[in-house]
Amino acid sequence: MPGSADSERAGSPRYAAQLPWIGPILGQTSSAAEALVRIGGAADPVLGNALVAVFVPVVRDKKNDRFKPSSENGKDSKVVDVGWVASLKNDRNGHFSLDARFSIWAGEIAGVLMLLLYDQSDVFPDPSTGKVSNRRFPVAWDAQIKELDSASVPGDPARTTPIRGLPEPMQSEIARSVGERLERPIKELEQGLIELDARRTGSPGPPTEITFAVASCQFPAGFLDRDVAERSYERLLRCLDRKDTRVRPKCLLLLGDQVYVDPTAGSFDPSSLYDRFELPYERLLRCAPLRRIMRSIPVYTMLDDHEIEDNWEPVAGANEADQNMIEGRRYYLEYQRMAGPEQTDPLCDSTEPLWYAFESHGFPFFVADTRTERCPRTAETIEDARIMSDGQFGALLDWLAEHRDSNVPKFIASPACLLPRKLRATQNGHPASALRSDAWDGYPRSFHRLLAYITDNAIRNVIFLSGDEHISFVTRATIRAHDSGATASIRSIHSSALYAPFPFANAVSDALAGKETFEFALRPGESGPRVGDIAWGGKYCCDVSTEFAPPGDGSTLLQVRRPNGKWAVRCQFVREADSVSAGKWFDVL
């Protein structure tokens, strides 16, 4: 039996402080009176579930190469003086999300260091000696969670608690474990530093300007090309450090193929769920430059085919849901949406919607799921095929109607490209040619209804964002309704792949209808209800003009400003430093 000394040691709490295994990942900052920021991450699977997250505002002690707690009134502070804790709810894979107080990032600090505390409090005697083998804390896990929750600030939706508000001996033990971690060099701790900047998160009020990034398609690195594979993320990371704050990204949109669960096109793809889905995500989210980006600015994502399988779409006549699609959606939500946004409430036939809307710096965004809700297509049904459910399409039209009276640029982001059309999808004007396109033009009904709705309702400054084709361009289109004379101008910006090492998989400008005029017709009322009026149908004409960027991997920066009272939008396709397009900005609006 343990002696009295062993029992005394066992009565003290014992925690281990470690960096998050995945994350921290920044989500959206709420606009509530007490602003909250959503943070996601994952505990180390070797250590098990984490008990709490600890947030410590820190400054850099360059002389000693250490982080130290931020000072109060010019005096050195201790962890217990400035630190906060938040209890965690880990899922089956140790993933978590929580809301932290935005005010924690106040003051002149390098950032807020996030550490996870692992409970080392189980008592297990050594059967050979009958003694407690090491110093552990015998309070049950749920009792500690209850203790933390009872100490949290009343009415605090973030459920965060100042460390100095915790009962002893928890307070001292947390300070000890975190203090030991702070003795490590800065380089070893930087991956846990959340560099949230108030200038990058926006503030209430009318929109004035924003710069944000768009990217997609990160083919996985092999044994020999890891440095090359991560270069696009490294270049995007350097954009965050630009001295000119006007061209620093405030958020990042990743529009599909963030992972490839089918890197060998089915030839040697793994079959186990861990190897097929979890391992690619773990490798992606532990990529050093991406980790720095995700702990500095909010990241919004949408999945595409390679999170499921190459060119996935439902099979006509299938009686059961495709298992790869089901698992692809599930792992996308678990890994890419750790920090939100949460799933939208179901509408109509959109039973498990992945699409969502958000605002950044006052600018509205709608992120569409153009993959998992598309319906089966055949040559017989192609004219009525939908790229998304009626529920999602209705929500998109409602979102456009909501912003109809505003000339603020509004962004519709989808993995599938809106314009230009693919030449092979328009051959001889035969409807069945659309089966050759995986983008919006492969689903003519959805494609035409959306263009007509924007035109009939005179919705201004609509800009479409997309990825998937491994090519960069800016498309300008003007749509005209023959019957009413209504017109609308839209823009379509497509970002090249982050890493696409196989040229045969990349689209080329010669395969796209970069400059064309085409007509389409709708049945009466098919475009959707006109705001404040009747529905329109009839014939429409669309004039398309496209400006292509030089080929190459990279991301896209968009800058929105309002000089002289008129909105202006331009974009830059971020390439290697010696690329001809490295410093070129394309005028969009």
Side-chain angles (χ1 to χ4, degrees), residues 48 79 94 102 161 366 391 404 412-413 460 503 531 546 568:
V79 170
F102 184 71
T161 306
F366 189 101
R404 173 180 180 266
I412 299 175
R460 296 167 291 171
V531 178
T546 304

Side-chain angles (χ1 to χ4, degrees), residues 213-219 232-233 236 252-260 302-304 307 414-416 465-472 494-500 553-556:
V214 178
S216 67
C217 305
Q218 175 70 38
F219 192 81
S232 289
Y233 278 129
L236 181 56
L252 168 63
L253 277 69
L254 293 176
L255 299 182
D257 300 344
Q258 280 73 257
V259 297
Y260 282 62
M302 181 52 68
L303 89 172
D304 201 22
E307 279 92 348
S414 68
L465 311 170
S466 54
D468 187 48
E469 302 290 345
H470 302 184
I471 188 173
S472 293
H494 198 80
S495 182
S496 63
L498 287 160
Y499 182 54
D553 294 343
S555 57
T556 303

Side-chain angles (χ1 to χ4, degrees), residues 276-506:
R276 181 175 177 84
F277 291 102
E278 293 188 42
L279 188 57
Y281 276 119
E282 290 173 358
R283 287 173 174 167
L284 173 75
L285 296 178
R286 289 179 61 78
C287 166
L290 179 58
R291 291 188 76 168
R292 165 79 191 281
I293 292 168
M294 298 182 88
R295 61 184 170 84
S296 301
I297 57 175
V299 178
Y300 301 92
T301 69
M302 181 52 68
L303 89 172
D304 201 22
D305 57 325
H306 288 292
E307 279 92 348
I308 304 171
E309 65 183 38
D310 186 29
N311 288 331
W312 182 90
E313 63 177 272
V315 177
N319 295 323
E320 296 182 1
D322 185 282
Q323 192 62 33
N324 279 343
M325 190 275 282
I326 293 173
E327 296 296 343
R329 285 170 54 98
R330 179 163 70 92
Y331 282 97
Y332 158 74
L333 286 169
E334 287 186 8
Y335 282 91
Q336 295 197 46
R337 300 271 280 269
M338 282 184 190
E342 296 177 355
Q343 285 184 270
T344 310
D345 291 335
L347 288 174
C348 303
D349 55 344
S350 184
T351 55
E352 293 183 297
L354 301 182
W355 50 269
Y356 56 92
F358 71 94
E359 285 194 0
S360 181
H361 286 63
F363 293 91
F365 291 79
F366 189 101
V367 183
D369 172 15
T370 51
R371 180 60 58 181
T372 72
E373 292 186 357
R374 54 181 64 189
C375 66
R377 300 182 295 169
T378 66
E380 184 179 4
T381 64
I382 186 63
E383 291 186 272
D384 289 322
R386 301 168 302 168
I387 199 170
M388 60 179 62
S389 68
D390 287 340
Q392 182 182 176
F393 194 79
L396 175 56
L397 299 190
D398 289 343
W399 178 86
L400 284 166
E402 177 185 352
H403 300 286
R404 173 180 180 266
D405 296 330
S406 170
N407 70 343
V408 171
K410 44 198 74 72
F411 300 93
I412 299 175
S414 68
C417 176
L418 185 85
L419 285 168
R421 302 189 302 171
K422 292 182 172 66
L423 288 173
R424 65 178 185 172
T426 63
Q427 283 185 325
N428 301 320
H430 196 286
S433 297
L435 289 169
R436 296 176 174 175
S437 176
D438 194 46
W440 277 90
D441 60 335
Y443 296 80
R445 185 185 181 207
S446 301
F447 177 48
H448 296 156
R449 289 180 67 198
L450 183 56
L451 295 181
Y453 186 84
I454 293 171
T455 305
D456 291 342
N457 293 287
I459 302 173
R460 296 167 291 171
N461 295 346
V462 180
I463 300 174
F464 289 85
L465 311 170
S466 54
D468 187 48
E469 302 290 345
H470 302 184
I471 188 173
S472 293
F473 53 76
V474 176
T475 297
R476 301 165 181 85
T478 301
I479 310 113
R480 182 176 67 259
H482 286 302
D483 294 341
S484 66
T487 62
S489 293
I490 62 173
R491 303 291 186 266
S492 177
I493 301 173
H494 198 80
S495 182
S496 63
L498 287 160
Y499 182 54
F502 305 115
F504 61 81
N506 301 342

Side-chain angles (χ1 to χ4, degrees), residues 530-550:
R530 181 183 171 100
V531 178
D533 207 332
I534 62 173
W536 285 89
K539 295 182 179 180
Y540 299 80
C541 179
C542 184
D543 293 316
V544 177
S545 176
T546 304
E547 186 176 7
F548 292 95

Side-chain angles (χ1 to χ4, degrees), residues 118-340:
Y118 294 89
D119 182 22
Q120 294 187 336
S121 61
D122 294 334
V123 175
F124 42 92
D126 184 341
S128 63
T129 63
K131 295 182 179 181
V132 176
S133 59
N134 50 18
R135 184 182 178 191
R136 294 180 178 273
F137 186 38
V139 174
W141 181 285
D142 56 353
Q144 294 185 61
I145 291 290
K146 185 176 180 180
E147 191 80 55
L148 286 163
D149 287 344
S150 66
S152 61
V153 178
D156 177 15
R159 300 175 67 217
T160 50
T161 306
I163 293 178
R164 57 188 169 195
L166 294 173
E168 287 285 3
M170 296 175 73
Q171 180 183 141
S172 297
E173 178 62 13
I174 291 174
R176 179 206 61 78
S177 59
V178 174
E180 288 180 355
R181 185 55 51 184
L182 289 176
E183 291 298 315
R184 308 304 302 168
I186 288 176
K187 187 175 182 179
E188 293 185 20
L189 298 178
E190 280 186 319
Q191 287 188 343
L193 185 69
I194 304 174
E195 301 175 81
L196 191 60
D197 188 333
R199 293 170 296 181
R200 298 182 185 179
T201 56
S203 58
T208 55
E209 65 178 13
I210 186 176
T211 297
F212 63 93
V214 178
S216 67
C217 305
Q218 175 70 38
F219 192 81
F223 291 110
L224 303 177
D225 61 346
R226 182 164 302 279
D227 290 343
V228 177
E230 296 179 357
R231 283 180 182 172
S232 289
Y233 278 129
E234 291 170 353
R235 290 194 294 272
L236 181 56
L237 178 57
R238 288 197 290 271
C239 292
L240 295 179
D241 296 325
R242 288 179 171 176
K243 294 182 179 180
D244 186 352
T245 59
R246 295 177 303 172
V247 292
R248 289 181 187 168
K250 309 301 188 298
C251 65
L252 168 63
L253 277 69
L254 293 176
L255 299 182
D257 300 344
Q258 280 73 257
V259 297
Y260 282 62
V261 302
D262 58 344
T264 64
S267 300
F268 303 100
D269 292 336
S271 56
S272 72
L273 290 179
Y274 175 77
D275 290 338
R276 181 175 177 84
F277 291 102
E278 293 188 42
L279 188 57
Y281 276 119
E282 290 173 358
R283 287 173 174 167
L284 173 75
L285 296 178
R286 289 179 61 78
C287 166
L290 179 58
R291 291 188 76 168
R292 165 79 191 281
I293 292 168
M294 298 182 88
R295 61 184 170 84
S296 301
I297 57 175
V299 178
Y300 301 92
T301 69
M302 181 52 68
L303 89 172
D304 201 22
D305 57 325
H306 288 292
E307 279 92 348
I308 304 171
E309 65 183 38
D310 186 29
N311 288 331
W312 182 90
E313 63 177 272
V315 177
N319 295 323
E320 296 182 1
D322 185 282
Q323 192 62 33
N324 279 343
M325 190 275 282
I326 293 173
E327 296 296 343
R329 285 170 54 98
R330 179 163 70 92
Y331 282 97
Y332 158 74
L333 286 169
E334 287 186 8
Y335 282 91
Q336 295 197 46
R337 300 271 280 269
M338 282 184 190

